[in-house]
Amino acid sequence: MAGRITPAAGRYAGKAAAERQADRRRRFFEAGLDLFGAGPGYRATRLTDVCRAAGLSTRQFYEEFRTLEDLLAELHLYVNDTAQRAVLAALPETEGLSLVERHSRLFRAYAAGATADPRHARIAYVEVIGVSPRLDRQRLERRARWIDFLCGQAAEAVERGEIPPDDYHVAAAAFIGAVNGLMHDWSVGWVDATLDQVVEELLQILLNRFNMAP
């Protein structure tokens, strides 16, 4: 029966409870990344598979998560946060660049952050699709963040007189949909192209739709 168990407090084998918990979560995360992102996939993975890969027990799993879906949900947030950090790290470096160069660098930073680990790409674009209403909501909420980011970038470009005033929300939603759709198809092998070709195609869609094409 799924359910979370409260871990024991105190020290064990020289480690405090917080240290042991962090180590358990790291090992379960790595096992989930391997099995969901590079192995049989979420739907074909059992709880015992994750515990075996992590070298931990089912009891220890339930001290951290209620279900395998909880692990998948946290991994989805983790890989999204990794891509977001890549974009935010690149943002200060785009100051003073042309509109095309600025957005090119930001999107390439996103693509690098999202795909540097192939396991991340599979989890973000493939494994979370259609799992449950809860994960569908989480996925759409994260997509909404990227849409808001694009709209914010467009609003700043309008203020600088780089692009004409417009409601760019639908365009941003369409672009994020294109990213998720094409990256899904590329991740599962339905698109015969290199990652660089996929990124370049998506970048051209972004630049053309937001009136940024050189």
Side-chain angles (χ1 to χ4, degrees), residues 31-104:
L33 279 173
D34 283 340
L35 292 168
F36 303 161
Y42 169 74
R43 290 166 179 81
T45 297
R46 299 170 300 175
L47 173 60
T48 53
D49 297 327
V50 171
C51 293
R52 186 181 304 111
L56 297 167
S57 68
T58 55
R59 176 182 174 82
Q60 288 169 311
F61 180 89
Y62 287 130
E63 289 177 353
E64 305 301 328
F65 308 97
R66 292 183 183 276
T67 65
L68 274 184
E69 185 180 311
D70 286 346
L71 175 57
L72 177 63
E74 290 205 22
L75 286 170
H76 175 249
L77 295 178
Y78 167 74
V79 300
N80 268 268
D81 288 344
T82 300
Q84 180 178 322
R85 286 194 297 271
V87 172
L88 294 180
L91 196 56
E93 302 172 0
T94 64
E95 291 291 333
L97 298 179
S98 69
L99 184 67
V100 171
E101 183 62 22
R102 185 164 64 246
H103 286 80
S104 297

Side-chain angles (χ1 to χ4, degrees), residues 132-150:
S132 69
R134 166 204 176 188
L135 272 179
D136 286 344
R137 286 193 301 272
Q138 178 173 296
R139 184 168 55 87
L140 291 174
E141 286 167 0
R142 283 305 174 113
R143 287 177 66 167
R145 289 192 184 188
W146 290 112
I147 291 169
D148 288 344
F149 177 80
L150 280 177

